[in-house]
Amino acid sequence: MFIIQKAFKNANIPSTVRFTDEIYAQLKQLSDSTGVSFNTIVLQCCQYALENLESAEK
């Protein structure tokens, strides 16, 4: 289960990511409604996807 956390440590590598309008709107809305930064939510989504990648491939 994906649970949003308020903090994400050691996020210090800058990178550019391009989102579709729909994905950006959903992430922005989630950020606004939870008070968690957009960057932190994106990092947590990526971490969750990577941790669950193996089970999704089966």
Side-chain angles (χ1 to χ4, degrees):
M1 172 186 265
F2 182 71
I3 300 172
I4 297 174
Q5 300 171 6
K6 294 271 183 189
F8 205 93
K9 295 183 179 181
N10 300 323
N12 55 8
I13 299 173
S15 183
T16 300
V17 178
R18 289 175 175 78
F19 297 97
T20 63
D21 290 338
E22 183 179 324
I23 291 172
Y24 177 81
Q26 290 175 346
L27 291 170
K28 180 70 173 129
Q29 190 280 325
L30 187 57
S31 173
D32 292 344
S33 68
T34 61
V36 177
S37 75
F38 183 87
N39 189 66
T40 297
I41 289 176
V42 170
L43 288 171
Q44 289 182 34
C45 287
C46 291
Q47 181 179 33
Y48 180 83
L50 291 170
E51 289 173 353
N52 292 280
L53 182 60
E54 184 178 357
S55 61
E57 290 177 342
K58 290 181 181 177

